[in-house]
Amino acid sequence: MVDDDIMQSIYLFLSIEDPLEAYLKYLVNLNYLADCKFIYFIDKGGIQMPSYYKTQSIENFEIVNLQSKANVFILDKGICEEMYSSGGEAEYGVDVCIALDTQAVSYLRNVVTEDSTLVYERLHPFMHYLLANDLNFDTSLYFLENSRWSKNMDFIKVYENLLAIERFKAIDINEYCQNKRIIYTLTEHEMKLNADNSFHLMNSENQDAESLFDMYKTIYALLLNICFIEFNYKKKGTKYRTQKLLDFVFEELGIVLQRESMIGILYFLHDTRIDYFFRKVQKNSEKILDTIKGMAWDLAHLRYLERMYSNPPKSNMKSSIYSLITFDISLIDIVKLVTIERCALYDNLTIPINNDNLEGLLVDIDLSDYYIDLRNKERRPFDMEIVKKLIFDLEYKINMIIVK
């Protein structure tokens, strides 16, 4: 648990929008903030991300940045001291990575097969993007979602996808770039051994997987509540429904999930930007719970990628920055809607400030009242057992609405 004073100082620092002002503030508080790292996403200055990592559409898939701007400016103790001694300049690198969502990984199974001459025509742009740019890519979202914590794993399909990942990793990039041919640098037997090892690791104890599932369940509980409020209080005003959501967040869930709460308020406002994300959430749908679970997974993936910013980068780099490659239109809308303007990295945590904030969406509601009430009450620690109970109760309530 992070000390409240440190967390308050981090949020005060994150309220500074200008990177130069942040640098001067960091100098003054250098010792107190020595263990903190701050990342600013800006239009000019800092480090420019490679063009192929920037938000863009390519045929039938899309690259989306979690951050709001293309350039990266980082502040930590070492950078700050170098800037001070050199008159305002510092040299550092950023480890930029592209994460494949679970659907993108599944597409690999149709591309890299034992017979590497068979490649579906419509997936050629996907393969070209990944291989021609020699990208630093990450498939951990698929790995973690389908880990031992999943009760609905299709073992054969999962193994085939893992084998596809190993085949993709073994593609001779030079041969592809020069002759547009897919050949493997490993034998089929070697790639299957690697897939066997990955499958074993996937079904072993994994703290990251457990953490991701906890986040998924927490977001699932919040989305269930959002949908229940919309269904049950549809004739009430937006202010009433928003207050019901905030009461749930502060008094029952015990954790403020800003992006997900913002999406809920936009849903109450019937904002067209989230129409596609909620398109399958219908009262007469027998699969509504499965739909909400899928939405919760999408949002949990974004949370996990944010957290990966705090992972130790390569030895000569200062931080890890992630983009996402996806075929999911609804997820694309959400990523573009709520991007990261700046964030703090502390104690393996990523603490983001988004391009829009919760207060900006509230209708005649002072959010500070909720924080004051929370401070005046005896604070309970966040508890996954409580989250599980909330899920059980909310699933029952939504099922009762469906059968009416």
Side-chain angles (χ1 to χ4, degrees):
M1 183 67 68
V2 179
D3 182 85
D4 282 347
D5 291 337
I6 291 289
M7 189 61 75
Q8 185 175 5
S9 297
I10 289 173
Y11 274 111
L12 283 173
F13 193 93
L14 285 173
S15 67
I16 303 172
E17 297 183 11
D18 179 47
L20 178 58
E21 183 183 347
Y23 159 67
L24 297 174
K25 185 75 171 180
Y26 198 99
L27 273 178
V28 176
N29 296 277
L30 192 59
N31 292 330
Y32 190 65
L33 296 173
D35 295 327
C36 301
K37 181 183 296 183
F38 297 91
I39 305 178
Y40 278 70
F41 299 105
I42 54 181
D43 286 318
K44 296 180 180 180
I47 296 176
Q48 187 176 36
M49 289 179 60
S51 60
Y52 42 81
Y53 283 100
K54 296 178 182 178
T55 296
Q56 57 189 298
S57 298
I58 304 177
E59 297 289 334
N60 57 339
F61 65 94
E62 190 141 349
I63 314 302
V64 282
N65 298 154
L66 272 68
Q67 56 274 8
S68 59
K69 306 289 175 54
N71 290 16
V72 183
F73 175 74
I74 299 176
L75 274 178
D76 66 8
K77 188 174 185 293
I79 291 174
C80 198
E81 290 174 341
E82 185 177 345
M83 289 177 66
Y84 182 74
S85 61
S86 66
E89 295 184 357
E91 293 186 3
Y92 53 88
V94 175
D95 185 16
V96 187
C97 187
I98 187 84
L100 278 67
D101 72 357
T102 53
Q103 187 178 1
V105 169
S106 297
Y107 275 36
L108 287 179
R109 194 172 80 253
N110 298 323
V111 179
V112 281
T113 61
E114 188 169 359
D115 183 355
S116 59
T117 62
L118 298 175
V119 179
Y120 288 102
E121 184 68 28
R122 73 185 189 89
L123 293 178
H124 278 173
F126 176 55
M127 289 296 292
H128 182 78
Y129 170 81
L130 292 173
L131 294 173
N133 295 311
D134 193 14
L135 296 174
N136 177 20
F137 69 94
D138 184 284
T139 57
S140 59
L141 289 175
Y142 182 87
F143 186 92
L144 295 174
E145 183 177 332
N146 292 280
S147 72
R148 63 187 288 266
W149 298 95
S150 174
K151 294 183 173 65
N152 301 311
M153 196 197 307
D154 182 337
F155 292 100
I156 295 176
K157 183 178 178 181
V158 167
Y159 179 79
E160 289 176 347
N161 285 334
L162 293 177
L163 181 55
I165 291 172
E166 296 302 325
R167 286 173 176 152
F168 179 77
K169 288 160 59 177
I171 290 175
D172 186 322
I173 295 177
N174 289 331
E175 181 67 26
Y176 176 84
C177 292
Q178 293 174 10
N179 302 313
K180 296 296 181 289
R181 288 199 309 148
I182 294 179
I183 63 172
Y184 301 128
T185 59
L186 299 177
T187 66
E188 183 70 8
H189 178 68
E190 289 172 324
M191 291 185 286
K192 285 182 177 179
L193 286 178
N194 289 340
D196 290 344
N197 185 54
S198 294
F199 192 79
H200 172 73
L201 290 174
M202 179 181 283
N203 289 282
S204 303
E205 193 75 30
N206 188 311
Q207 188 62 41
D208 282 344
E210 183 177 3
S211 176
L212 178 62
F213 266 77
D214 285 348
M215 178 54 68
Y216 152 72
K217 291 172 189 172
T218 306
I219 294 173
Y220 178 51
L222 181 60
L223 288 178
L224 286 172
N225 180 259
I226 289 168
C227 295
F228 173 73
I229 291 172
E230 178 67 12
F231 291 160
N232 208 45
Y233 303 105
K234 196 172 185 67
K235 294 182 180 180
K236 299 284 188 178
T238 302
K239 179 179 179 180
Y240 180 88
R241 283 175 287 163
T242 300
Q243 285 179 319
K244 296 291 285 186
L245 172 60
L246 294 176
D247 290 342
F248 175 81
V249 166
F250 282 91
E251 297 178 10
E252 298 186 66
L253 195 62
I255 181 173
V256 179
L257 300 176
Q258 188 179 66
R259 175 191 286 112
E260 295 77 12
S261 298
M262 287 168 62
I263 291 168
I265 296 173
L266 290 173
Y267 182 48
F268 299 154
L269 290 168
H270 302 150
D271 192 297
T272 56
R273 292 174 294 176
I274 48 85
D275 277 355
Y276 200 78
F277 188 66
F278 281 91
R279 71 192 185 284
K280 294 183 181 179
V281 179
Q282 305 294 333
K283 287 178 68 172
N284 59 352
S285 172
E286 294 180 357
K287 296 183 178 180
I288 188 170
L289 296 182
D290 288 338
T291 296
I292 299 173
K293 287 175 183 177
M295 295 161 64
W297 269 123
D298 286 344
L299 296 174
H301 286 170
L302 300 183
R303 285 282 176 178
Y304 180 76
L305 290 180
E306 284 179 0
R307 205 190 81 185
M308 289 173 72
Y309 281 28
S310 65
N311 285 354
K314 295 176 181 177
S315 58
N316 61 334
M317 303 293 181
K318 272 296 180 181
S319 187
S320 300
I321 305 296
Y322 283 79
S323 294
L324 180 71
I325 184 169
T326 181
F327 293 82
D328 187 342
I329 297 174
S330 63
L331 181 58
I332 292 168
D333 290 343
I334 296 303
V335 178
K336 290 181 177 179
L337 180 64
V338 187
T339 54
I340 305 172
E341 286 196 340
R342 52 196 178 276
C343 64
L345 309 179
Y346 177 73
D347 194 29
N348 295 320
L349 292 174
T350 302
I351 305 161
I353 297 296
N354 296 317
N355 61 318
D356 201 350
N357 55 52
L358 198 57
E359 290 90 338
L361 291 174
L362 299 180
V363 182
D364 301 325
I365 297 173
D366 186 354
L367 190 59
S368 62
D369 291 341
Y370 284 89
Y371 285 108
I372 292 170
D373 288 344
L374 191 65
R375 284 196 294 268
N376 290 337
K377 294 176 182 177
E378 183 178 348
R379 294 180 61 183
R380 63 166 178 80
F382 176 68
D383 189 340
M384 280 308 302
E385 292 304 314
I386 293 177
V387 171
K388 292 175 185 176
K389 183 179 183 303
L390 290 171
I391 289 173
F392 180 84
D393 292 343
L394 286 164
E395 285 183 336
Y396 175 80
K397 289 179 179 178
I398 288 180
N399 279 327
M400 288 299 98
I401 290 176
I402 292 172
V403 298
K404 284 182 179 179

